[in-house]
Amino acid sequence: MAAEAAAIALSRCDERLARATPDLAEGVRQRGHAFEAQALIALAGGLCPLEDLILHDAGMDVRSPTREITRAAAMLDERRRLARREPTGILSPDAVRGRLGLTQPRRPEGSGRSGAALVSTDRISAPWEESYRGEDDDDRIGEDQELEDDTDPATDPAFAEIDALLARTRNKLDSWNDLSSDAGRKSLTLRDPAYDGAGRCQRWLAVLEEGRGLPATLAAALALDAWLALEPSERAGELGFALAAIVLRQRGLAQAHLPTLGLGLRLGRFRWGPHQALSVRVGGLLGALTEAAAFVQADCDRLSLARELMLRKCENRRGNSKLAELIVLFVSSPLVTVQLAAARLKVTPQAVEAMLKELGASLPRELTGRKRYRAWGIV
């Protein structure tokens, strides 16, 4: 059965990470977050080079980040936050609604501009114009009205078109409230007025509740399938992959790592589509779980081999050598710079550069392509 095969693959992967050294397990987890963010962008039709994502995450961009890189970095941060929290607090109905922005505090009665951040983005007019209008503004308004009285718009049709354009612009600006607030920035986003986010989220929570009596992998696959079909969020569609992974962790699987469902879906041949039958969709997602576990096992092998090759350079060295600690840093972190290594190992940058030369051919790949401010990583 596909659900049983996925559960076995995840259990074996989790057991291996639990028995691995702390630096190796941490390296696999951190690389898994980056691989998952890259895969989700690829599934959406975007391009996200892994090196650019890692460099952007470390604040060492070699070129201006694209929209895909920015989205992938946001997904990377979101997965790290979810991996540090307890599953029960993440999957509670209130927590899910709050993460999707469906819970908004009520606006106090009689509030003016101070409550602009709490106003729904569907408001058309802004009520704070009169409260922020001073005496000088009243004088200017009176002068403008006198000038308007002297000019007859009927004499020139162009004035009527200009007035209509100004009216539309004024209404649009009024509907944006205050652009310096979070509510004002969110109102700039185009939204579907017929989109029922609260209702879709409620239906997804119902599917999540129905899966409590099912096996863990089957419940996670159903939760992800329902998320992709219902689309509870207009802008956070990739969040469903992380929530499905949290379902596995809540049910006792994947305690040592957060599964990379998007990566497994990208590596396999199956592509999810709403036109497919439910059994086909769920079976394909279960296969993606198996693919994800197999990739983590292969990545663990790759990191172990790189670690063993670098550790060979530590033979017959002094007891106070920091080279072994530098190798641990390479394995546990996706990106290492001279400044970072010097701070972690408490040595000078010149000592770090000397150790990098001693690694020779086993040195991880340089990611920036520059001669200064360089970074290395096993990617």
Side-chain angles (χ1 to χ4, degrees), residues 24-255:
L24 183 61
E26 180 64 19
V28 171
R29 283 191 289 265
Q30 294 300 325
R31 288 158 55 88
H33 295 328
F35 284 133
E36 177 73 357
Q38 181 194 32
L40 292 177
I41 293 296
L43 289 175
L47 178 62
C48 176
L50 186 63
E51 297 85 353
D52 292 348
L53 173 60
I54 294 176
L55 291 172
H56 178 74
D57 180 62
M60 294 185 60
D61 299 274
V62 296
R63 59 184 64 88
S64 299
T66 62
R67 180 175 178 270
E68 288 76 12
I69 294 294
T70 305
R71 287 179 55 204
M75 299 175 200
L76 186 60
D77 294 337
E78 185 69 16
R79 279 184 59 88
R80 288 171 177 167
R81 285 192 294 267
L82 293 177
R84 292 191 296 264
R85 296 184 56 190
E86 292 295 328
T88 305
I90 298 174
L91 296 177
S92 63
D94 292 338
V96 173
R97 295 191 187 97
R99 189 168 295 275
L100 297 181
L102 299 177
T103 55
Q104 297 181 355
R106 296 183 59 185
R107 183 188 179 190
E109 295 182 0
S111 61
R113 186 180 176 86
S114 60
L118 305 180
V119 182
S120 173
T121 58
D122 296 334
R123 190 167 57 88
I124 297 176
S125 60
W128 39 262
E129 288 182 346
E130 297 294 335
S131 61
Y132 272 69
R133 180 178 297 169
E135 296 179 357
D136 296 338
D137 295 333
D138 293 335
D139 296 338
R140 284 194 299 269
I141 292 174
E143 296 175 358
D144 295 340
Q145 289 177 350
E146 293 178 359
L147 293 176
E148 291 178 0
D149 294 339
D150 295 339
T151 304
D152 187 7
T155 59
D156 192 347
F159 284 117
E161 298 179 1
I162 294 175
D163 290 340
L165 177 61
L166 291 176
R168 290 196 300 268
T169 304
R170 190 179 300 109
N171 291 334
K172 179 60 69 175
L173 291 176
D174 291 345
S175 66
W176 286 348
N177 300 329
D178 186 5
L179 296 182
S180 62
S181 65
D182 293 338
R185 285 191 293 268
K186 289 181 181 179
S187 65
L188 295 175
T189 305
L190 296 178
R191 299 178 183 273
D192 183 6
Y195 187 87
D196 184 15
R200 299 184 185 207
C201 180
Q202 187 62 33
R203 291 195 293 271
W204 183 80
L205 290 173
V207 174
L208 190 66
E209 183 66 26
E210 293 175 358
R212 294 187 180 276
L214 300 175
T217 53
L218 185 57
L222 286 173
L224 180 55
D225 177 76
W227 184 279
L228 295 175
L230 295 173
E231 296 182 358
S233 175
E234 288 184 275
R235 296 183 296 170
E238 299 85 1
L239 182 62
F241 290 87
L243 294 180
I246 296 297
V247 172
L248 293 171
R249 176 169 289 185
Q250 185 185 36
R251 302 291 296 274
L253 289 176
Q255 297 297 314

Side-chain angles (χ1 to χ4, degrees), residues 276-295:
Q276 299 168 336
L278 177 61
S279 59
V280 176
R281 301 198 307 263
V282 174
L285 294 177
L286 290 173
L289 282 174
T290 306
E291 290 283 349
F295 180 85

